[in-house]
Amino acid sequence: MKKKLIILNTTIMLGLGSAFAIPSVKAESISDIQSQRTGLQSDISEAEQVIQELKKEQTKMNAQIAQIESAMKENDQKIKDTKQEIRDTEKDIDSLKKEIKALEERIAKREEVLKERALSFQESGGDVEYLEVVLGSKSFGEFVNRVGAVATIVEADQQILSEQEADKADLEKKQATVEKKLQSLKDMEVELKGMQSQIKDQKAETVNMKAKIEKKESETEALKQSLENKDAGLEAQIASIRENIKKEEERKASEKADLDRAAEEVNSSNASSEEPSSSSSEESSSSSKAESSASGSSKGESLSNSSKNSSADKPAAASKPEASKTETSSKPSSANTGSAITAGYKYIGNSTYKFGGGRTASDIANGLFDCSGFVAWAYKQAGVNLPASTDALKSAGRQVSSSQKQPGDLVFFNTYKTDGHVGIYVGGGKFIGSQSSTGVAIANMESGYWADVFNGRVVRVN
């Protein structure tokens, strides 16, 4: 019986040992999985931050595209209006040609009248030399000059000569006015078409950039979803392990209870038959309970350790470094030029090129400028009034050598025409201006496109 009791107690201890050994191993597995989840959740957080930044960029791109489309729409309307004006002017020219033809016919008739009168004068006994003077003229101007030299004809035909000169002056004035208007309209059409082409290129570039951002956002969303799926899988794995631990503990507890009852039954049976055996059984049972108590303590410690491992703190998310700021080392030559340079900084990356822009409060509020409009606006913020056209800005100060240019000087470029673009020099080989491809931006004029089209004209504002 004693041997049977010892075997029974040994079985109980083995059962208790296995009951707490298995949860300990599984607790370590939970800790490992929880560490993996911590890393995944950190990656998910970073992915969410990237997605938010991309959404902001996308919103900004959408706003920029809307501005570009608005500018293109206005430019299209200007092109249509200019073409209509050209057609109207061409009609005026056709009408003027008819008037010219009528004037020429009147001039020719008057010339015949003067010649007939001269012949009549000669036949009536006039001087032969006068007839030679009149008929020997090679042009209308020479004819008038020669006729004007003869006092007799001047007195007789003063009204005809006055009408001839008035018609000729009126003809020349109308022709010069219409031709000037037509040339101005044609130049404007060329300029508008050039600007529209550049704006279309800007839109295409912006749309392409937006597509790249959308693709990157889609990829980041897919990555985030993949990470979340992995995290959910690990979470389910942890829940499954914990459920298995709970079932295992319940099974071992049930086994322990059965073994305890069996031991008590054996002890009771031996106590009634043999005192020594009973005493021995009590000692054995006491020893078994002590070991069971120690084993229970071990179980508590194991569960405590498991709880600590599973509740490990997550690492704090690393903060993003602040973006470095670029500063221009050159200083403006005066307070006014300095204010003009810094006035446009708020529009960098927040504006759109618009032909004829920057001349109304609405355009300025929405960051819509062309090159000369931006220069005039920037200097106006510094209290200096400048004209808003590239041709006029060439005379807004004194021209200096390119090697002597200073911040605040106006710099000119041959783009679609000579002096077709203007900006404000900021030092370090760079200038600020409203470019058709970027809106208001700082560009390098010592390399690339702007170095190629810089024509050397530098104007220092007085």
Side-chain angles (χ1 to χ4, degrees):
M1 183 61 66
K2 187 183 290 186
K3 183 178 180 181
K4 184 178 179 182
L5 184 59
I6 292 172
I7 293 172
L8 187 58
N9 287 333
T10 303
T11 304
I12 293 173
M13 294 308 300
L14 289 174
L16 290 174
S18 61
F20 296 108
I22 293 173
S24 176
V25 171
K26 292 186 177 180
E28 291 177 1
S29 299
I30 290 175
S31 177
D32 292 339
I33 295 171
Q34 191 64 53
S35 296
Q36 293 179 44
R37 285 196 67 198
T38 299
L40 285 173
Q41 288 167 355
S42 176
D43 292 341
I44 290 170
S45 178
E46 290 181 4
E48 286 175 343
Q49 291 178 5
V50 170
I51 289 170
Q52 291 304 316
E53 290 297 325
L54 291 173
K55 286 186 182 297
K56 289 180 182 178
E57 285 295 321
Q58 191 174 349
T59 301
K60 185 177 179 181
M61 287 294 171
N62 287 335
Q64 191 170 350
I65 289 173
Q67 284 185 333
I68 292 171
E69 288 176 343
S70 176
M72 287 179 65
K73 186 177 180 180
E74 291 186 19
N75 276 11
D76 281 335
Q77 187 59 47
K78 284 187 178 181
I79 290 173
K80 289 178 182 178
D81 294 343
T82 302
K83 286 182 176 179
Q84 184 59 46
E85 286 187 41
I86 290 174
R87 286 194 290 269
D88 294 342
T89 304
E90 287 175 343
K91 289 180 181 178
D92 292 342
I93 290 175
D94 291 338
S95 177
L96 181 62
K97 285 181 179 178
K98 293 179 182 178
E99 291 181 21
I100 290 172
K101 186 175 181 180
L103 286 172
E104 288 176 343
E105 288 175 356
R106 288 203 299 270
I107 289 171
K109 287 179 181 179
R110 292 192 190 107
E111 185 176 350
E112 288 299 322
V113 170
L114 289 173
K115 286 183 179 180
E116 287 175 4
R117 290 187 180 183
L119 287 170
S120 177
F121 179 79
Q122 191 272 338
E123 289 173 355
S124 301
D127 192 349
V128 175
E129 291 180 358
Y130 167 73
L131 181 62
E132 291 175 352
V133 168
V134 173
L135 298 180
S137 60
K138 297 180 180 180
S139 65
F140 177 76
E142 184 179 356
F143 174 80
V144 172
N145 289 336
R146 290 188 180 189
V147 171
V150 181
T152 303
I153 297 299
V154 171
E155 291 174 0
D157 299 311
Q158 188 65 44
Q159 180 64 31
I160 294 176
L161 292 173
S162 297
E163 291 174 356
Q164 290 284 79
E165 289 296 329
D167 283 347
K168 182 180 177 183
D170 185 47
L171 179 66
E172 291 174 348
K173 182 178 179 181
K174 285 183 177 180
Q175 189 169 2
T177 300
V178 175
E179 288 177 352
K180 183 178 180 181
K181 181 180 179 181
L182 180 61
Q183 187 59 47
S184 175
L185 289 170
K186 286 182 177 180
D187 289 344
M188 181 181 292
E189 184 183 18
V190 171
E191 189 168 355
L192 285 168
K193 286 181 177 179
M195 293 302 100
Q196 190 73 337
S197 177
Q198 291 180 343
I199 291 174
K200 285 180 179 179
D201 291 342
Q202 181 185 357
K203 180 183 177 182
E205 183 178 349
T206 305
V207 169
N208 183 46
M209 189 177 297
K210 180 187 174 186
K212 289 180 179 179
I213 289 173
E214 288 175 343
K215 182 181 178 183
K216 188 173 181 181
E217 181 181 352
S218 177
E219 291 173 350
T220 308
E221 285 281 7
L223 174 61
K224 178 190 171 187
Q225 187 61 51
S226 175
L227 292 171
E228 287 177 341
N229 291 341
K230 288 181 180 178
D231 182 62
L234 291 174
E235 185 178 17
Q237 196 174 344
I238 290 174
S240 176
I241 291 172
R242 285 177 174 165
E243 183 64 23
N244 290 337
I245 290 173
K246 181 180 178 182
K247 289 180 179 179
E248 186 69 15
E249 289 175 344
E250 289 174 350
R251 186 181 68 81
K252 294 301 181 183
S254 177
E255 290 179 354
K256 177 180 177 294
D258 291 341
L259 292 172
D260 284 342
R261 281 195 299 271
E264 288 176 358
E265 290 175 359
V266 170
N267 290 335
S268 297
S269 175
N270 287 331
S272 61
S273 61
E274 300 181 66
E275 186 66 28
S277 296
S278 176
S279 176
S280 176
S281 294
E282 286 175 3
E283 289 176 1
S284 178
S285 178
S286 176
S287 173
S288 174
K289 289 182 179 179
E291 287 177 339
S292 176
S293 176
S295 179
S297 176
S298 174
K299 177 181 176 183
E301 291 177 0
S302 177
L303 289 174
S304 176
N305 290 335
S306 175
S307 176
K308 289 179 180 179
N309 289 335
S310 63
S311 60
D313 294 336
K314 297 179 182 178
S319 60
K320 292 187 177 180
E322 294 184 359
S324 59
K325 299 179 181 177
T326 304
E327 297 182 356
T328 304
S329 59
S330 304
K331 295 182 179 178
S333 56
S334 70
N336 283 344
T337 56
S339 299
I341 291 171
T342 56
Y345 280 4
K346 68 178 180 179
Y347 286 114
I348 293 176
N350 188 33
S351 64
T352 302
Y353 183 91
K354 174 188 173 184
F355 180 77
R359 292 159 178 80
T360 66
S362 175
D363 282 352
I364 293 169
N366 289 286
L368 302 175
F369 295 94
D370 64 6
C371 61
S372 54
F374 171 74
V375 169
W377 173 84
Y379 261 96
K380 189 173 182 180
Q381 308 314 298
V384 179
N385 290 323
L386 294 182
S389 72
T390 51
D391 287 337
L393 285 170
K394 290 189 293 186
S395 305
R398 61 186 178 90
Q399 189 163 336
V400 299
S401 170
S402 175
S403 62
Q404 296 177 339
K405 60 182 176 292
Q406 297 176 359
D409 291 345
L410 308 185
V411 288
F412 292 79
F413 306 85
N414 295 343
T415 50
Y416 64 95
K417 69 174 184 178
T418 301
D419 296 318
H421 187 68
V422 63
I424 304 173
Y425 186 64
V426 299
K430 297 178 180 179
F431 74 97
I432 186 171
S434 181
Q435 283 70 258
S436 61
S437 59
T438 60
V440 176
I442 293 177
N444 190 341
M445 58 183 290
E446 291 186 344
S447 64
Y449 173 76
W450 294 111
D452 294 338
V453 298
F454 175 53
N455 61 18
R457 186 187 299 278
V458 179
V459 172
R460 185 158 296 158
V461 178
N462 294 329

